[in-house]
Amino acid sequence: LIFLGCVAAAGLGLNLLFLAIYLSCLCCCRKEEEEESKRPNSCCVTWAAVTAGLISCAAVGVGFYGNSETNDGVYQLTYSLYNANHTLGGVDSLVGNGTP
């Protein structure tokens, strides 16, 4: 669970890094843009936005997977504790009946 949390945190960090690159490219492209041109050169901006979007989707996918695994683990833990309680209750009743 800690590993999945670290993967999601790393995805968030990468996403923030690529968003920072995106914003810096956006500012640089606007400064270098000529006054007469109506269509800016936005290749850098486009790829930074695409990369940030893909990393965001991957981080969300890892989060959903971690949530599912945590849910399964908690269910197995409660089931095991219920069975252990039932077993110990049976042992207690057998030991209680065996002593005079």
Side-chain angles (χ1 to χ4, degrees), residues 55-69:
I55 290 173
S56 296
C57 290
V60 168
V62 168
F64 278 125
Y65 176 74
N67 187 24
S68 174
E69 289 295 315

Side-chain angles (χ1 to χ4, degrees), residues 1-8 58-74:
L1 184 61
I2 293 173
F3 174 73
L4 292 174
C6 290
V7 169
V60 168
V62 168
F64 278 125
Y65 176 74
N67 187 24
S68 174
E69 289 295 315
T70 302
N71 186 30
D72 291 343
V74 168

Side-chain angles (χ1 to χ4, degrees), residues 4-40:
L4 292 174
C6 290
V7 169
L12 177 64
L14 284 173
N15 189 18
L16 292 175
L17 176 70
F18 279 110
L19 284 175
I21 292 170
Y22 167 77
L23 292 175
S24 65
C25 286
L26 186 65
C27 291
C28 292
C29 289
R30 285 188 186 216
K31 287 181 182 176
E32 294 174 0
E33 181 181 313
E34 294 179 7
E35 294 289 327
E36 293 96 24
S37 85
K38 292 184 178 180
R39 186 171 178 230

